[in-house]
Amino acid sequence: MLLVHPPIAPWLVRTADGCRATLLCRGAPDLVYLRAEPDNEELLVAMQRVAEVNGLACYEAVAPWDRSNETTHYAFKVIHDGGQSWLAADGVHRYPPPRELHFKVCRAHAPPAWVADQIVYQIFPDRFCQGDPSLAVATDEYVYGTGRTRVVARPWGAPIDPSVAATAFYGGDLVGVRRQLDYLAGELGVTALYLNPIFTSGSNHKYDTEDYDHVDPHLGGNAALADLCAALRGRGMRLVLDAVVNHTGANHPWFDRFGRHGGGAYQSAESPWRSWYTFEGAGYASWKGHASLPVLDFASPEVQAAIYGDAGVLRRWLRPPYAIDGWRFDVIHMLGEGPGAHNNAHHVRALRRAVKGENPDAYVMGEHFGEATRWLQGDQEDGAMNYYGFAHPVRAWLAGQDLGGEPARLSTVDFERWLTAARARVPYANQLAQLGLLDSHDTSRLLTAVGDDVGRMQLAVTLLLGYPGVPCIYYGDEIGLRGGRDPDCRRCFDWDRAHWHAELHAHYRRMIAWRKARPEWRHGAYQTLAVGDDALVFARYTERSVTLVGANRGAARATLPLPLGELPVEVARWQGADGGPIAAAELAAGIAIEPGGWTLVFGDAG
């Protein structure tokens, strides 16, 4: 029996009393129930048949809010043919599915409406564009850390030297970012920027913050950020900054390991900042054992006030003249009390309250390399960098390796199962706010991982733009920038257009334009329609529009028959990516996908 529940309007509508849910069904059920747990006890609500769409019967009922928990869980129970079928977020079960797989809606929290509409571009500031050469770091200008690693100025585009991975500077700055907005917004189609850390630090990556109150002067200082924010607002663009609040740099005045600031927690047990960190004998707690990154102890009320209090770091940059649109929280799952992540959920919720208290429409996004379900139930993060639920499976499927570069073969069936399992564990509203990505400053570039196979890279880009979530482009991917593991993935953007991969660049622009034009790419439900040995087809759809996305990693042409009758949309006309009409009967018989290629088909209601 076919059972479908798209967890978006009009098939899921929030009301004062709960969620009005619609189940679409093909077959002859004896009884149809909506199952909920408003008080931790099973409640079965009989569903009423109310309509029919595309040959599917529509059953409707209201799942009452679970007012004891932030997230309301629900599923569907169908009695037919002397047995049962259950529909959960991961598909049909023949027995009651576990609660973690139920559909989920967060009662009191929802991601900002603007997030799902964005095309995000991630910038590592030192490597994107130099706007003011006078701001650049000079060789040996200052002492970094213990002084054993030189601070080195490098010519733009020179190869990365791993021996000075953290202390080689190429001169990119915020002035350069602002001057390239015509390219980013006008030519490429980007609508939002995510910047790696920009606050004062002696390293090029700046994950070792020395001053949360000031943008690094070599990036242009606070004035350059204010100018950039004003320019972005003038274009209707958004800005997300990197919040590194799990730890500071060892040279931060609060810690002052090197004694350059008159005495901090490291220098004296009597320091007013001593309780802000955790000391263990002669040592101290640091991020993953890196002595340059002492961990903040959120058991300290002073740390709480400094980071998420009314005058704290998070609120300050959400206010004019900057008024940034959100924060990406570095290693947010590790933040807590003492040397570990004790009381992590409590403090992440406090971070959220601070951000939303300053701007209810601000975006709260976390960094997790692993599976992040518990942070994504709506009451902590709006979304995460979707390594686990997108970047990792895509890389395993297309490159045969994991994010760390180790072998990771993945069949197409397992690829689809991985994607489905990851989506099923979070409310769909939060899935639409996940930051989809192919690579980042912490991974090798995907183009390098797939052996410079541009066709396979284009296939990955098609998935990135068509899959549920907010697509994020790592700077330079669109021009064919290559790079191995950190720090090689942080090469300079090449502004010589003669060196750009024109076909790849055109593909990015084309996909971005379609995402902006097609509402189902931004807000639509997801449904897998066909899975083959090396190819699959999925649909993104709203009530009135559909896109079929076909992807084929194989060396042979793939033709997959499509069960269009499983979609709850009555399509009046189908057309290919070239604009040519396609008959529904022809499409149902099979969608052809070229070797190593992709196919898009658009459908619209009458």
Side-chain angles (χ1 to χ4, degrees):
M1 175 168 285
L2 175 67
L3 302 174
V4 177
H5 170 60
I8 61 169
W11 302 287
L12 180 68
V13 178
R14 301 167 70 100
T15 72
D17 298 323
C19 295
R20 187 174 73 247
T22 300
L23 177 70
L24 299 112
C25 172
R26 174 169 288 114
D30 300 313
L31 293 168
V32 182
Y33 296 103
L34 189 156
R35 182 197 187 277
E37 292 183 353
D39 52 7
N40 292 336
E41 175 69 16
E42 179 180 73
L43 173 68
L44 293 175
V45 182
M47 303 189 74
Q48 304 301 313
R49 181 166 176 163
V50 295
E52 182 175 303
V53 60
N54 199 27
L56 301 174
C58 303
Y59 291 82
E60 190 176 282
V62 173
W65 290 120
D66 181 348
R67 299 191 182 276
S68 299
N69 297 289
E70 292 286 352
T71 306
T72 292
H73 292 66
Y74 65 96
F76 301 93
K77 177 181 181 180
V78 179
I79 309 298
H80 65 98
D81 301 323
Q84 299 182 6
S85 290
W86 292 75
L87 181 66
D90 69 331
V92 175
H93 297 250
R94 299 305 175 193
Y95 49 84
R99 191 170 185 270
E100 77 238 26
L101 295 178
H102 287 194
F103 293 98
K104 304 167 188 70
V105 179
C106 191
R107 173 173 51 87
H109 301 278
W114 60 268
V115 172
D117 286 321
Q118 303 308 304
I119 309 292
V120 179
Y121 194 85
Q122 180 190 350
I123 291 176
F124 194 90
D126 183 60
R127 309 293 161 81
F128 179 63
C129 181
Q130 185 178 67
D132 183 350
S134 71
L135 298 174
V137 174
T139 296
D140 295 329
E141 177 180 338
Y142 56 84
V143 175
Y144 176 76
T146 60
R148 290 194 293 268
T149 302
R150 292 186 70 196
V151 170
V152 179
R154 299 279 287 165
W156 193 263
I160 300 294
D161 180 354
S163 70
V164 284
T167 55
F169 291 86
Y170 289 81
D173 53 41
L174 298 188
V175 180
V177 174
R178 177 169 54 83
R179 290 182 178 173
Q180 294 299 338
L181 292 183
D182 281 345
Y183 164 70
L184 292 171
E187 181 176 345
L188 189 58
V190 166
T191 64
L193 302 184
Y194 152 47
L195 304 184
N196 286 109
I198 61 172
F199 300 115
T200 300
S201 160
S203 70
N204 53 45
H205 59 71
K206 306 202 179 302
Y207 282 97
D208 49 354
T209 310
E210 296 180 13
D211 183 351
Y212 290 108
D213 293 334
H214 294 92
V215 174
D216 195 292
H218 291 290
L219 296 178
N222 291 9
L225 178 62
D227 289 344
L228 175 60
C229 290
L232 290 169
R233 281 193 295 272
R235 294 173 178 264
M237 297 178 70
R238 305 279 184 162
L239 177 64
V240 175
L241 294 185
D242 214 321
V244 187
V245 295
N246 171 72
H247 49 265
T248 67
N251 195 43
H252 195 292
W254 298 342
F255 195 76
D256 197 17
R257 180 184 174 194
F258 310 110
R260 296 173 187 153
H261 301 288
Y266 184 83
Q267 297 295 321
S268 171
E270 305 305 316
S271 166
W273 298 291
R274 183 75 174 188
S275 66
W276 294 35
Y277 300 87
T278 299
F279 289 86
E280 302 164 326
Y284 53 88
S286 60
W287 181 74
K288 298 182 75 169
H290 293 282
S292 61
L293 304 173
V295 171
L296 285 167
D297 184 356
F298 275 80
S300 165
E302 290 82 8
V303 168
Q304 298 170 25
I307 300 301
Y308 57 70
D310 288 346
V313 173
L314 300 182
R315 287 178 176 265
R316 185 176 312 137
W317 298 96
L318 289 162
R319 295 168 178 161
Y322 316 103
I324 69 169
D325 297 286
W327 289 104
R328 176 265 197 190
F329 286 91
D330 184 58
V331 295
I332 191 170
H333 49 283
M334 301 180 76
L335 179 147
E337 300 175 9
H342 184 61
N343 274 343
N344 175 263
H346 167 80
H347 293 292
V348 174
R349 290 186 181 104
L351 298 178
R352 179 184 182 87
R353 285 194 299 272
V355 171
K356 302 293 185 176
E358 195 64 43
N359 177 6
D361 213 27
Y363 183 34
V364 176
M365 186 250 293
E367 179 210 18
H368 307 269
F369 261 82
E371 195 266 333
T373 294
R374 60 184 141 150
W375 292 275
L376 292 169
Q377 297 306 301
D379 60 327
Q380 296 186 55
E381 300 168 20
D382 293 317
M385 296 184 78
N386 199 10
Y387 286 109
Y388 177 81
F390 185 77
H392 195 162
V394 167
R395 183 167 295 221
W397 190 60
L398 292 178
Q401 60 182 247
D402 65 16
L403 293 171
E406 295 182 336
R409 291 182 181 176
L410 198 65
S411 71
T412 305
V413 168
D414 284 337
F415 174 56
E416 194 278 333
R417 285 175 177 167
W418 188 343
L419 294 174
T420 296
R423 287 194 315 276
R425 285 170 165 78
V426 302
Y428 196 68
N430 295 90
Q431 175 63 37
L432 293 175
Q434 296 266 60
L435 195 77
L437 67 165
L438 299 175
D439 44 27
S440 75
H441 63 291
D442 283 327
T443 73
S444 63
R445 291 187 181 263
L446 184 61
L447 182 58
T448 296
V450 297
D452 295 336
D453 186 332
V454 173
R456 191 153 284 207
M457 185 68 184
Q458 288 180 315
L459 176 54
V461 173
T462 304
L463 294 173
L464 175 67
L465 273 294
Y467 193 74
V470 184
C472 180
I473 302 162
Y474 185 40
Y475 79 96
D477 275 358
E478 78 278 12
I479 64 168
L481 191 60
R482 295 162 175 80
R485 298 178 65 179
D486 172 15
D488 193 46
C489 56
R490 304 173 182 182
R491 299 182 190 181
C492 293
F493 192 103
D494 188 344
W495 289 103
D496 184 346
R497 287 177 178 256
H499 298 160
W500 292 11
H501 197 291
E503 184 181 355
L504 182 59
H505 192 254
H507 185 66
Y508 268 96
R509 297 199 314 272
R510 179 169 56 238
M511 289 295 161
I512 289 170
W514 273 327
R515 185 173 178 96
K516 289 180 173 181
R518 303 293 303 187
E520 67 271 22
W521 286 36
R522 307 188 305 275
H523 304 283
Y526 174 99
Q527 198 165 322
T528 300
L529 293 181
V531 179
D533 290 340
D534 286 304
L536 82 162
V537 179
F538 62 84
R540 296 292 310 283
Y541 60 89
T542 64
E543 186 181 21
R544 299 191 57 78
S545 59
V546 182
T547 297
L548 307 179
V549 181
N552 178 16
R553 71 172 180 181
R557 193 175 197 235
T559 301
L560 301 179
L562 298 182
L564 298 181
E566 296 183 3
L567 293 172
V569 185
E570 294 181 337
V571 175
R573 57 187 176 276
W574 294 98
Q575 64 182 34
D578 60 359
I582 303 176
E586 175 188 353
L587 188 59
I591 183 171
I593 316 170
E594 296 304 317
W598 52 273
T599 297
L600 296 177
V601 178
F602 305 121
D604 294 286

